[in-house]
Amino acid sequence: MASLVTLENGNEVDFTYLRDLLEVTDGNLGAHLRKLEEAGYIAVNKTFVERKPRTYVSATAEGRKVFQEHVVALEAILKSK
Amino acid sequence: MNVSPTEAEEALAAIQTIAQKTRHTIASGGTHISLIVTGIIWLAGFMSAQFLSGEIVIYLWIGLSLLGSILATGLNIRLSKRVHNLSASATAKRIGLIWLLLAVYCVAAIAVASPLDGKQLTVFIVLFVMLGYLSTGLLLSFSSVWPGLTIIALMLIGYFLFPGIFYLWMAILGGGGMIALGLYIRYRW
């Protein structure tokens, strides 16, 4: 999620590119993304590029908002230390 | 949320690391290479304009510009396969139209104004190119305008304050600046 919200709003990233970036397996990333998609935090776009299937992932507006709230909450915990 | 300060600190550090890695990897996909290549082209082109004379400078600029355009197109195609914009086709059409109109406007303005020398012609062309860069950059992100504004400012300072070494000024500060920015994005951003 941290990686997806770093992208500019409206940008989506290729699944294999994200997998290599995060250094995780296909299965691991797929499971994470499924949970985030079910929660409405990310959108998955399956398409064809040069006749090859490709999966693109992007953060939704709701996902960006919730992630920002999560970061603010973590910072608040640190400040109250 | 039942999280200890230590866990919060670790989570924030992990978020920071991933965000930085994402920015860095996306930059590695093309932005820094594009800046470095354009910087080298400017460095070589303006150096030749400062120290050489005659038609060779024109041919050198044409050759370098063609090389730069081919490399930039290749890089953009490669990058667009990894990260692409959801409204890319509409944006791409607008960007193409802006550049087309600007090219026509640039030729018309140069024909009417008839710049007196190479320096004026250079400033005209760079101003139009930077206007296109700023306009199209704004369609994609606000942060992309700063390099363009910096180049315009440096060019105008060189043109008005240091006319004798204008091309050298553009080579070192314009071309060198782009190379430095490209290296900064690659290794520090």
Side-chain angles (χ1 to χ4, degrees):
Chain A
M1 202 63 209
S3 188
L4 293 176
V5 297
T6 306
L7 298 173
E8 296 255 352
N9 207 355
N11 277 0
E12 50 183 14
V13 66
D14 179 35
F15 179 91
T16 53
Y17 182 59
L18 190 63
R19 180 202 61 198
D20 295 343
L21 175 78
L22 300 174
E23 293 169 15
V24 291
T25 62
D26 279 353
N28 199 335
L29 181 61
H32 273 289
L33 293 180
R34 235 184 335 272
K35 280 182 188 167
L36 290 169
E37 190 186 13
E38 282 164 13
Y41 297 160
I42 64 160
V44 176
N45 172 22
K46 290 177 192 287
T47 185
F48 285 87
V49 176
E50 292 165 2
R51 283 182 278 179
K52 287 179 193 156
R54 275 189 187 256
T55 302
Y56 286 98
V57 191
S58 61
T60 61
E62 173 69 8
R64 286 178 186 273
K65 186 174 150 262
V66 169
F67 183 78
Q68 196 52 45
E69 285 168 3
H70 176 65
V71 170
V72 169
L74 289 173
E75 284 169 348
I77 292 169
L78 267 186
K79 278 178 194 159
S80 65
K81 190 166 132 181
Chain B
M1 193 161 34
N2 191 15
V3 179
S4 72
T6 314
E7 286 170 330
E9 196 170 5
E10 283 169 4
L12 280 171
I15 289 168
Q16 182 75 17
T17 305
I18 289 295
Q20 209 163 12
K21 198 173 175 187
T22 305
R23 273 198 298 270
H24 186 84
T25 312
I26 287 168
S28 303
T31 310
H32 77 286
I33 301 173
S34 185
L35 275 167
I36 291 169
V37 168
T38 313
I40 291 170
I41 288 170
W42 276 41
L43 194 68
F46 283 118
M47 279 287 190
S48 68
Q50 178 76 42
F51 297 111
L52 301 175
S53 57
E55 286 186 348
I56 190 161
V57 177
I58 298 167
Y59 293 130
L60 204 66
W61 262 119
I62 292 169
L64 287 169
S65 303
L66 280 174
L67 183 71
S69 305
I70 292 164
L71 284 170
T73 308
L75 279 170
N76 283 330
I77 290 169
R78 199 183 93 175
L79 188 62
S80 67
K81 281 182 190 166
R82 293 172 172 179
V83 179
H84 73 99
N85 195 284
L86 292 168
S87 56
S89 60
T91 310
K93 277 182 199 161
R94 272 186 231 159
I95 290 173
L97 194 62
I98 288 171
W99 280 109
L100 185 68
L101 290 172
L102 204 62
V104 173
Y105 192 70
C106 180
V107 171
I110 288 171
V112 172
S114 304
L116 295 173
D117 58 24
K119 281 190 209 73
Q120 283 189 344
L121 185 63
T122 302
V123 172
F124 253 83
I125 293 171
V126 175
L127 277 176
F128 278 111
V129 170
M130 284 301 135
L131 180 63
Y133 174 80
L134 292 174
S135 317
T136 53
L138 276 172
L139 289 173
L140 304 172
S141 79
F142 283 104
S143 56
S144 65
V145 301
W146 296 114
L149 287 177
T150 309
I151 287 169
I152 291 172
L154 285 173
M155 184 185 65
L156 293 176
I157 290 169
Y159 181 77
F160 288 111
L161 300 182
F162 310 105
I165 55 159
F166 175 68
Y167 294 125
L168 192 62
W169 173 272
M170 288 301 290
I172 293 170
L173 292 178
M178 278 191 227
I179 295 169
L181 184 62
L183 292 174
Y184 173 79
I185 289 173
R186 175 70 183 86
Y187 295 106
R188 295 272 175 175
W189 196 36

